[in-house]
Amino acid sequence: MRFSAPPPIPSRVAASIKLASSSASVNSTFSWDDVFSIPQSGAATEDRSSYLQGYFEKVQLCNRGSEKQSEFLPFVIEDQIVGFIHNGFAEKLRSFRDVFIFPKDKLYGSHFDDYVSLNPMLKTPEQRTSAVGNVVKCLGEEWIPGIRHELFPVTSSFGAPTFFSLERAAAPYFGIKAYGVHMCGYVERKGQKHLWIGKRSQEKPTYPGMLDHLVAGGLPHGIGCQENLVKECEEEAGIPRSISMEAIPVGAVSYMDIDGYRYKRDVLFCYDLKLPESFVPNNEDGEVESFKLIPIMQVAEIIRKTQFFKPNCSLVMIDFLFRHGYINPECLGYLNLLRSLKNGDCS
């Protein structure tokens, strides 16, 4: 099948999740005082049949628009599906005939009469990167806002050959699979885990002022996961290589989110790093406003009860809660929530 359906969620929470997904608005002007005002409770003191509802809502916010998948054309290179492009956005590409072609074939599961590919004259990754990059430049901020001048690899799956490289901001408009590294940094005090949480700069082009875990970054072309994590640790939190090399890879989460012409198909590699009690993060690249060390149970309640966290960071934090035993099988929907952390094509 072209798309995989997400696992079912308990019927008792489905209606409220639908409401939250359609009407939620995020206010990023909250303060740390607002964050620390969230009351702590926990599964032991709440109805286990509804305790996970807030987590399901966060997963749903990262997996919107599944009913709109039929509006997208497959993006095919060398007989491999590498992305999905909205029919409306594809219309913008049809005028670039020396770069894009639209073969008439439903072989790849298109709901239309054609799919998107690259001109066969563009034979090498370098030629394709240059040609598509010029198209992105021509479309400009009007159609692809937030140009970062950072290239992501275009590939059919992780570790497969790279067909070409694409401007990061354009990735969701071409529906390519994008990968990132996300790290939870924690400290143990008197037997209790505390997480370092960052508040994003108000100058960030995406999700300004929202909460983030300690370190995260997209995986650009030409760098491995560990090396990228070490780089991001230094830039975002001032963590020296001697410490960041101790980060442990613990798995991955994935999601598929459709919003207008944008189709995000992201896989986030998750890492844990136990930090010395004496360590205090220091942002080096201006992307983080400030950090706070917060008890894990309070972080859990912030995720469950608010939309303070950047949406995909909530998935990584929920995964952390599973792995460290803060979400348990006694809660209704445990396995469904666990499966939902890989709603996307995790390949």
Side-chain angles (χ1 to χ4, degrees):
M1 293 181 64
R2 176 181 162 189
F3 299 104
S4 58
I9 57 177
S11 58
R12 291 183 60 180
V13 306
S16 59
I17 289 176
K18 182 178 180 180
L19 177 62
S21 298
S22 61
S23 63
S25 60
V26 178
N27 177 7
S28 62
T29 60
F30 60 85
S31 67
W32 282 115
D33 287 340
D34 297 319
V35 172
F36 285 107
S37 71
I38 304 302
Q40 296 186 53
S41 52
T45 60
E46 293 201 13
D47 183 355
R48 292 180 184 270
S49 67
S50 61
Y51 176 74
L52 297 184
Q53 175 178 324
Y55 298 132
F56 274 114
E57 291 174 359
K58 303 311 179 295
V59 172
Q60 199 79 353
L61 288 172
C62 287
N63 290 275
R64 302 168 299 172
S66 59
E67 72 281 0
K68 298 179 181 179
Q69 289 171 342
S70 62
E71 299 176 9
F72 288 75
L73 284 74
F75 182 25
V76 179
I77 302 177
E78 296 182 11
D79 298 323
Q80 297 290 317
I81 296 178
V82 298
F84 297 95
I85 301 176
H86 192 276
N87 186 48
F89 189 76
E91 290 302 309
K92 304 297 178 185
L93 304 180
R94 289 182 186 272
S95 60
F96 299 94
R97 297 179 182 178
D98 56 339
V99 180
F100 295 99
I101 60 173
F102 295 81
K104 298 290 184 181
D105 198 328
K106 292 189 177 182
L107 177 64
Y108 300 100
S110 175
H111 290 266
F112 300 90
D113 292 331
D114 51 6
Y115 61 90
V116 186
S117 190
L118 294 180
N119 190 310
M121 296 298 292
L122 302 171
K123 298 183 181 299
T124 68
E126 293 77 16
Q127 290 173 333
R128 296 164 178 167
T129 298
S130 177
V132 178
N134 287 334
V135 172
V136 171
K137 184 177 180 180
C138 289
L139 293 174
E141 290 283 333
E142 179 182 359
W143 294 105
I144 303 176
I147 299 295
R148 303 189 186 192
H149 304 289
E150 181 179 345
L151 295 177
F152 271 14
V154 177
T155 181
S156 59
S157 61
F158 187 70
T162 298
F163 295 112
F164 71 98
S165 298
L166 178 67
E167 158 63 39
R168 178 176 181 175
Y173 293 93
F174 288 83
I176 70 166
K177 297 188 70 174
Y179 301 88
V181 292
H182 285 232
M183 190 189 80
C184 293
Y186 69 97
V187 170
E188 287 193 357
R189 288 184 173 177
K190 298 180 180 179
Q192 299 296 318
K193 290 185 176 71
H194 294 62
L195 281 162
W196 278 108
I197 301 299
K199 195 171 190 299
R200 294 163 66 87
S201 166
Q202 290 290 350
E203 303 305 314
K204 288 280 288 181
T206 57
Y207 304 102
M210 297 190 73
L211 299 185
D212 213 333
H213 35 60
L214 185 56
V215 170
L219 189 62
H221 177 66
I223 187 171
C225 289
Q226 185 179 44
E227 190 60 33
N228 192 49
L229 183 69
V230 169
K231 176 180 73 70
E232 295 289 348
C233 279
E234 177 65 32
E235 293 174 355
E236 294 194 352
I239 303 174
R241 188 183 188 93
S242 59
I243 295 178
S244 61
M245 286 294 291
E246 299 298 317
I248 301 172
V250 291
V253 299
S254 63
Y255 60 95
M256 297 192 299
D257 181 67
I258 295 175
D259 180 20
Y261 288 173
R262 296 162 51 86
Y263 192 166
K264 288 180 66 63
R265 301 194 302 139
D266 291 358
V267 177
L268 311 179
F269 294 104
C270 302
Y271 289 77
D272 285 354
L273 177 62
K274 184 177 180 181
L275 291 158
E277 284 193 56
S278 59
F279 175 79
V280 177
N282 178 49
N283 181 243
E284 304 284 348
D285 61 8
E287 295 188 356
V288 182
E289 178 184 291
S290 55
F291 295 98
K292 296 290 184 182
L293 187 63
I294 305 178
I296 182 62
M297 287 306 301
Q298 187 162 11
V299 173
E301 293 304 284
I302 294 166
I303 295 170
R304 207 166 65 85
K305 295 176 179 177
T306 77
Q307 291 185 39
F308 289 170
F309 272 94
K310 179 173 174 277
N312 66 356
C313 293
S314 291
L315 301 188
V316 177
M317 305 296 282
I318 293 169
D319 179 70
F320 184 93
L321 294 173
F322 268 109
R323 292 184 291 97
H324 290 263
Y326 293 95
I327 297 177
N328 59 62
E330 280 68 35
C331 296
L332 178 66
Y334 176 88
L335 290 178
N336 284 335
L337 180 60
L338 184 62
R339 284 194 296 269
S340 75
L341 296 178
K342 290 182 174 64
N343 268 351
D345 179 6
C346 203
S347 66

